Amino acid sequence: MLPPELPPLPALTRAEAEVIDRYLDVVDLLGRINPGRDGDTYGALRAAQALVGKATALRDALALMHRRGETQVHAATLARALRVLDGERRIARVGLPPRTGSR
């Protein structure tokens, strides 16, 4: 059985697509670093080390967008792209997990 087909990505400029990709790279690393989630310190350390390069790439993608005259963030379109790329699940790993126990 084939997995369900994903909805198509909205039309994005090349610069917008690069921003979305680099943003999700940063989010994935932040999720691995999150001290509120299970994991090991070595994995978090490696993610923190990689974060510098990914944040730089995100900055560069945003700078390119700005230089090209793309000065407005089209939030609804970019949010749709994030949802198609499983952004909700990936971004949720950055936040605190739900409470468990008596507190």
Side-chain angles (χ1 to χ4, degrees), residues 34 36-37 92-103:
N34 187 345
R37 300 225 172 245
R93 293 194 44 80
V94 175
L96 289 173
R99 281 186 190 217
T100 59
S102 61
R103 285 189 149 220

Side-chain angles (χ1 to χ4, degrees), residues 26-41 43-45 47-48 51 89-98:
V26 168
V27 164
D28 289 340
L29 290 172
L30 287 172
R32 289 177 46 201
I33 296 167
N34 187 345
R37 300 225 172 245
D38 288 334
D40 59 64
T41 55
L45 172 62
L51 184 59
R89 180 191 60 81
R90 295 161 78 177
I91 291 166
R93 293 194 44 80
V94 175
L96 289 173

Side-chain angles (χ1 to χ4, degrees), residues 1 7 11 17 20-22 24 57 59-60 64 74 82 97 100-102:
M1 176 184 238
I20 291 293
D21 288 343
R22 300 301 67 88
L24 288 173
R59 180 206 58 204
D60 293 348
L64 177 63
H74 302 284
L82 286 169
T100 59
S102 61

